[in-house]
Amino acid sequence: MSNKIKIPFNKPFIAGKELLYIAQAVTENHHTAGDGPFTKKCQAWLEERLGCRKVLLTHSCTAALEMSAILAGVRPGDEIIMPSYTFVSTASSFVLRGGVPVFIDIRPDTLNMNEQLIESAITSRTKVIVPVHYAGVSCEMDMIMDIARRHNLFVIEDAAQGIMSTYKGRQLGSIGHLGACSFHETKNIISGEGGALLVNDEKFVERAEIIREKGTNRSSFFRGQVEKYTWVDIGSSYLPSDIIAAFLYAQMENTDQIIAQRNLIYSLYMEILRPLAEKGYIQLPFTHTDCRSNGHIFYIITRSLKERMALAQFLREQGILALFHYVPLHSSPAGKLYGRTTGTLEVTRKVSDCLLRLPLYHEMKEKDVRSVAGNIKKFYKCSD
Ligand SMILES: *Cc1c(COP(=O)(O)O)cnc(C)c1O
């Protein structure tokens, strides 16, 4: 494969003022440690736009998930229900506390955890349900929250991919007890590495601040609420430098434009590829009418592993980079060691074999989208 990539899979978007704000943090604010002016601006922005009780910036979504596991009081042997078709941190954050991931299958339409399978996976050790909003498309949150209420469980939303997506008008990450989002370079809104813990239940706010500050009451101390700054609980260093927050704030100011542009590309893919889906060659993404998505990932599902490999190879020969996604966690070495599976996970296996993610980035031109989609049609010898 010596030919050059003409259409990459992703190109991180730079809004324009990132370096200006970093310079401001360094030379004007003289605050490069955590919780400086830019961190406060980002947190206020997220609290307002997402409608969360409290937002705390973290250095990654993984950090926010680790904090959630501590806040939910996960202890060795406690079970955490989650999909197997997800990123490692969804599970590893709970395993760090001795939790046991219990992997359930996903829905064939949204590729999110199949809410119908949750109740049969619940045991006396179950503590948390972790809905992962794959590709920025919402899980069935009403049903998940209802099950959690009836069984007295916590819901921690892995909204790493969900920024600005909604479920029945509510922002993803703002519905469960806690939520985690990511600003990793591969996501929609970025700061290289970055994330946020979304606290929706008042009772977690104070302890969340303590856990994020190495287990100290530093935050209350700076607000003048306590006289001494001291070690009071377990915790770690989960806060990002204000330099990272400065970068992130420049992105936040452009959020609406970033999401609109991604959704435009997404819709164009949908429109051009629809005939292939109608003919039964591929499956296209599905978003329920109650939900609004953020155009995070555009994928197609082929009929077999062999067909996906051949299609990816065909696109690569045209200079187009399309990628598959997760190795299901239940089939990974650590997933087998630390987790448990319920059911056959048939859909997970199929999707892991057959899903192909297409290029999608802010600078992508209409002609590039047409070229990718056109080549897929060519592969299937479809002339519509
Ligand atoms: C990206 C991602 C994460 C991890 O985010 P980081 O900010 O890199 O820690 C976790 N879960 C899901 C579903 C993700 O897509």
Side-chain angles (χ1 to χ4, degrees), residues 60-62 65 86-87 89-90 132 158 160-161 182 184 187 194 326:
S60 64
C61 176
T62 305
L65 289 167
T86 181
F87 186 66
S89 331
T90 314
V132 180
D158 183 338
Q161 304 174 11
S182 175
H184 185 264
K187 304 301 201 283
Y326 306 120

Side-chain angles (χ1 to χ4, degrees), residues 173-351:
S174 75
I175 304 166
H177 299 86
L178 296 158
C181 55
S182 175
F183 305 116
H184 185 264
E185 183 183 76
T186 52
K187 304 301 201 283
N188 285 15
I189 309 294
I190 63 174
S191 59
E193 303 282 348
L197 175 71
L198 317 178
V199 184
N200 305 314
D201 189 328
E202 173 70 37
K203 72 168 180 278
F204 291 124
V205 173
E206 197 186 331
R207 191 163 184 231
E209 290 180 337
I210 291 170
I211 290 165
R212 179 166 164 272
E213 274 283 11
K214 303 96 184 164
T216 71
N217 59 0
R218 192 168 189 269
S219 300
S220 322
F221 175 71
F222 277 115
R223 282 195 300 263
Q225 291 163 338
V226 291
E227 273 178 39
K228 287 198 214 92
Y229 160 31
T230 186
W231 184 24
V232 296
D233 200 343
I234 62 166
S236 187
S237 184
Y238 286 123
L239 65 175
S241 158
D242 221 45
I243 295 176
I244 296 290
F247 188 111
L248 183 60
Y249 194 66
Q251 295 263 319
M252 283 181 173
E253 288 181 328
N254 289 274
T255 299
D256 293 333
Q257 182 220 336
I258 292 170
I259 305 290
Q261 182 61 20
R262 295 190 76 98
N263 276 328
L264 208 65
I265 296 169
Y266 190 100
S267 310
L268 187 57
Y269 268 137
M270 278 298 238
E271 184 191 314
I272 306 174
L273 294 173
R274 191 159 288 126
L276 282 179
E278 281 161 3
K279 287 186 165 66
Y281 293 134
I282 59 169
Q283 178 187 324
L284 289 173
F286 169 79
T287 308
H288 200 273
T289 48
D290 286 345
C291 305
R292 207 187 59 215
S293 143
N294 60 6
H296 178 56
I297 292 173
F298 189 90
Y299 64 81
I300 61 172
I301 299 175
T302 63
R303 291 170 297 188
S304 70
L305 173 63
K306 202 167 147 237
E307 188 174 278
R308 180 189 69 184
M309 299 305 253
L311 173 58
Q313 172 67 20
F314 178 80
L315 292 174
R316 182 65 188 79
E317 279 157 14
Q318 322 301 315
I320 297 164
L321 195 59
L323 302 176
F324 44 83
H325 214 175
Y326 306 120
V327 172
L329 297 184
H330 77 276
S331 65
S332 69
K336 282 182 191 159
L337 188 61
Y338 296 112
R340 180 162 75 66
T341 298
T342 60
T344 60
L345 303 197
E346 213 174 307
V347 184
T348 300
R349 284 173 223 272
K350 160 98 205 299
V351 166

Side-chain angles (χ1 to χ4, degrees), residues 60-123:
S60 64
C61 176
T62 305
L65 289 167
E66 286 179 21
M67 290 176 69
S68 305
I70 298 173
L71 288 167
V74 172
R75 293 181 172 280
D78 286 347
E79 295 179 350
I80 324 295
I81 298 174
M82 63 180 68
S84 168
Y85 198 69
T86 181
F87 186 66
V88 174
S89 331
T90 314
S92 66
S93 312
F94 293 93
V95 169
L96 268 186
R97 310 245 63 83
V100 178
V102 173
F103 300 117
I104 63 170
D105 209 356
I106 50 175
R107 291 168 56 117
D109 52 2
T110 59
L111 317 188
N112 284 327
M113 85 181 339
N114 187 337
E115 66 284 353
Q116 307 290 342
L117 304 175
I118 295 173
E119 284 203 277
S120 57
I122 293 175
T123 72

